[in-house]
Amino acid sequence: TAPATESSSAIAASGIGAIAPPAITARADADEAFVQAAMRRAVDAAELQHFEDVLERQSAAVRQLSELTTDSDLSLLPVRRLESLQRHWLLYARQIAEQRARLSRITRDHSQDAASLAARRSAWQTARAATSDLAPALLKRIDELIAQIEQAEGRVLQPLGKLLDLG
């Protein structure tokens, strides 16, 4: 029962709970707006490729500088050259920290969207199963919203996996 408890607490923490029949229309509108926003926030393939390219360039630059400093006796280098090497290392450290923070923020946002979408889908599926005596138009609205949520989940989860690999 631990996963059920975690799921229930996640739904309660997000403010997503059971859907009363009188609130279906308003709640559907609000959830549809959230779904659309989550889909807009989802990282596309070009942005994922950009992350990979930036990480590859940073990795190559660090490897190159590392090879340059590993093969030479640093005590023989002039002070200016040592200061230049230090500035390069500090620059790379700052760039990597900024990229890591950006990836972390985007990954966190995608994770939160994925959890919220799953909670909303679950709430709507529960409402659909519990309210078969509703007007056909409301049942259709519920079914359409569940389909939109599932589509949004796919759009959020695919890049989330890649972001986790990169981070």
Side-chain angles (χ1 to χ4, degrees), residues 6-35:
E6 289 173 12
S7 176
S8 298
S9 62
I11 290 172
S14 65
I16 300 167
I19 303 166
I24 287 176
T25 304
R27 174 76 181 269
D29 291 343
D31 284 357
E32 185 174 39
F34 176 82
V35 166

Side-chain angles (χ1 to χ4, degrees), residues 17-161:
I19 303 166
I24 287 176
T25 304
R27 174 76 181 269
D29 291 343
D31 284 357
E32 185 174 39
F34 176 82
V35 166
Q36 291 170 354
M39 289 179 71
R40 280 191 305 274
R41 284 189 299 269
V43 174
D44 62 11
E47 193 169 356
L48 281 173
Q49 186 61 48
H50 174 72
F51 280 129
E52 287 183 51
D53 293 345
V54 167
L55 288 172
E56 182 55 41
R57 280 193 308 271
Q58 288 173 339
S59 177
V62 167
R63 269 194 310 273
Q64 183 181 13
L65 189 58
S66 177
E67 290 169 3
L68 208 133
T69 57
T70 303
D71 295 339
S72 62
D73 185 2
L74 298 179
S75 65
L76 300 176
L77 294 176
V79 172
R80 284 188 140 178
R81 180 69 175 135
L82 290 172
E83 289 172 342
S84 175
L85 288 172
Q86 180 184 21
R87 283 192 303 274
H88 276 88
W89 280 117
L90 292 174
L91 172 69
Y92 293 146
R94 187 176 63 246
Q95 288 175 340
I96 289 169
E98 289 170 359
Q99 186 71 5
R100 180 177 287 159
R102 186 169 180 227
L103 276 171
S104 178
R105 185 184 71 253
I106 291 172
T107 301
R108 182 191 65 239
D109 292 347
H110 273 67
S111 295
Q112 290 172 346
D113 282 349
S116 184
L117 287 166
R120 290 167 196 266
R121 180 182 35 80
S122 176
W124 282 107
Q125 288 172 334
T126 301
R128 176 66 168 98
T131 56
S132 59
D133 60 338
L134 286 176
L138 285 177
L139 292 174
K140 182 179 180 205
R141 176 77 167 116
I142 292 171
D143 292 338
E144 289 171 350
L145 187 58
I146 291 170
Q148 287 176 2
I149 292 171
E150 289 171 346
Q151 180 184 10
E153 282 179 307
R155 184 143 179 207
V156 169
L157 290 175
Q158 189 277 331
L160 179 59

